[in-house]
Amino acid sequence: MMNIRKCPLSEAALLYSSEPAFSDAGKEYTYGELEQLTEYYQRIFSFVKNEAFMRENGVSGLLSAGLDGIDLGEYLFTDALFPKVMIKATPSVDHVAAIFAMMRNGITYIPFSSRETPERIRTVARDARAFIINDLRRFAESVNAMEAFRAEEFHLNDHVDPYAPCNMMMTSGSTAMPKLVVHNLNAHLKSALGGQKVLDIRHGDRYLLSLPLNHVGGQAVIFKCVLTGAVMVSPRKDMSPAGQILQDRITVLSLVPTQLVRIMENNPEVLAESCVRAILLGGAPIDDMLIARMHDLYPSIALYGSYGSTEMASQICTNVLLKGKEITAGFPLPYRELVLNSDGEILVRGETLCMGYFRNGLIEKVTGDDGYFHTGDIGRMLPSGLTVSGRRDNMFISGGENIHPEQVEAMLLKNQNIAEVLVVPVRDHEWGMMAVALVRTVPGFNGTLEDLRQQALSEMSHVYVPKIWLNMPEIENTGLKIRRGKYIEFAEKTLNRT
């Protein structure tokens, strides 16, 4: 028998009907209005799920509206037994309504970045047998304008199967074809509920959607807000993050350390004047000097560190970061389990674990024979919690020594003149692979990169000090993970090692 539960958005609409749910450039939508918009999109997506209607009206209907297929919607090989929609992820009220509408219609959604190329989108869609939607509103307007659609009768429901495939998150490097990580709704809800033990999102909180919604961290914010009656706030295109923090009365932020450093450097007064009460950090090493400065300047703001993965629906561990205390990610949150194997690799399992990877029309499990997902991350469990040394696949050998870039970066960040640093390998005839430091110094630093290298040599084992130091390029990173491949390409090109 199918497992059915009420859609969490429907529950929120009953509890917080007249309370704000979403804020977009100052325009507020209540939970009741978000529910109404979701019902509108339920009607729209019934079009996608109806195979006979699709074949009769799909491609011809869309193209007859004078709209390009890839720009609006493209019908490929939608699987009637496992319908899927690839949808461009935008931090809009329409997007949030659409994903809950798809859940209610039994459609698995695959959010993709606006930076994805049409070729990669089509390839993934073809492999997944998915329908592509690039412009959600135009797609909905065109479907709604079809005479055949207006003649259809619709039977809306507000229930979902929490154990059926809910979404597929694309995860990979910049060039390889992405893996599709399949999650059910239960995993997302348990992820949000477990995170509440530490983060404590509250009714009325205003959470900035600073992480892209094609990342599992961005998806996690949606479920956290809906379960607690908090407000999702869309990033403003016409305003800096610092300005928006004040303008939209943001109370909770998810950031990478670099984003926090830049706010503190460029607009130090903003956090002091803001309503921010909690900041969740992740995705890169966290410097103890950053924590100390945060607590000195903004003692009322709680700072949290986290460790997570796409396969575990975002957060696995989360911990309060305190001045003068050891920096760890803490211990596993509820509904998660974590152990280390003999090599120090982090293994996880629990109710937040994904259903598997979607390959060749099947969902393949991600666990090994031991029942755990092998993350590829190396860590240690201390009395105060988990510390993550780095990824096995980031490690490289230089002159016979194993170099873990994340460990070296954490050591270099202890220098108060270094604001950001990334250690990357480049090919070298003497060392095999040579460590290169890409550095951004703090404003007002009048020394040279060679000065910083010499200081590192006086404080660290020479084995781990990068041989070459370069200024860090401006490469945009989205989400909580650094695109190391882009920085490696920069270093290789700069040093003529391509």
Side-chain angles (χ1 to χ4, degrees), residues 85-341:
V85 167
M86 287 191 70
I87 182 169
K88 183 162 73 174
T90 59
S92 66
V93 67
D94 288 85
H95 184 85
V96 173
I99 66 176
F100 281 104
M102 285 186 273
M103 288 182 217
R104 296 179 190 180
N105 278 348
I107 296 172
T108 301
Y109 65 94
I110 309 171
F112 65 86
S113 168
S114 60
R115 295 178 177 84
E116 286 287 359
T117 64
E119 291 75 19
R120 273 169 57 98
I121 294 169
R122 285 193 176 98
T123 299
V124 173
R126 187 171 293 108
D127 291 345
R129 297 167 59 87
F131 185 88
I132 304 169
I133 298 175
N134 194 41
D135 188 323
L136 179 61
R137 285 189 176 180
R138 290 180 67 198
F139 171 74
E141 289 167 358
S142 296
V143 172
N144 202 35
M146 291 181 185
E147 184 176 344
F149 176 80
R150 293 196 302 271
E152 287 281 307
E153 291 188 11
F154 300 98
H155 303 283
L156 301 181
N157 75 86
D158 61 357
H159 285 70
V160 294
D161 180 352
Y163 299 101
C166 166
N167 58 19
M168 297 184 189
M169 307 306 298
M170 297 167 60
T171 176
S172 76
S174 59
T175 56
M177 289 310 298
K179 293 182 290 187
L180 293 176
V181 182
V182 185
H183 277 292
N184 57 35
L185 176 60
N186 181 68
H188 288 295
L189 297 182
K190 289 299 194 294
S191 176
L193 289 170
Q196 280 296 91
K197 179 182 178 182
V198 177
L199 199 55
D200 188 28
I201 304 300
R202 307 162 190 171
H203 172 230
D205 265 331
R206 300 176 66 85
Y207 206 137
L208 183 63
L209 297 176
S210 52
L211 303 179
L213 297 187
N214 58 292
H215 287 255
V216 75
Q219 292 284 311
V221 174
I222 295 173
F223 293 104
K224 290 172 185 173
C225 289
V226 168
L227 287 181
T228 58
V231 185
M232 296 163 271
V233 183
S234 179
R236 293 182 182 241
K237 297 179 180 178
D238 60 345
M239 192 176 294
S240 69
Q244 185 173 10
I245 287 171
L246 292 176
Q247 180 72 27
D248 286 332
R249 309 181 309 282
I250 302 301
T251 64
V252 184
L253 290 163
S254 289
L255 301 172
V256 294
T258 297
Q259 292 173 311
L260 178 58
V261 167
R262 290 182 176 177
I263 290 173
M264 294 171 66
E265 287 179 353
N266 300 328
N267 307 94
E269 75 288 347
V270 164
L271 291 176
E273 299 170 2
S274 74
C275 301
V276 174
R277 65 169 188 82
I279 298 176
L280 178 65
L281 295 177
I286 301 170
D287 176 31
D288 52 6
M289 287 191 294
L290 172 61
I291 298 171
R293 189 178 175 210
M294 271 293 300
H295 282 283
D296 288 343
L297 294 177
Y298 319 108
S300 64
I301 298 178
L303 196 62
Y304 300 91
S306 66
Y307 167 68
S309 75
T310 299
E311 286 82 358
M312 287 290 283
S314 190
Q315 291 165 263
I316 300 170
C317 302
T318 302
N319 195 25
V320 180
L321 301 176
L322 300 173
K323 180 180 178 180
K325 300 293 184 179
E326 196 162 29
I327 300 174
T328 76
F331 298 96
L333 296 165
Y335 312 110
R336 293 92 158 156
E337 296 178 42
L338 181 150
V339 298
L340 303 180
N341 69 11

Side-chain angles (χ1 to χ4, degrees), residues 73-92:
E74 183 171 312
Y75 173 46
L76 290 172
F77 310 102
T78 299
D79 187 342
L81 298 178
F82 190 177
K84 309 168 206 71
V85 167
M86 287 191 70
I87 182 169
K88 183 162 73 174
T90 59
S92 66

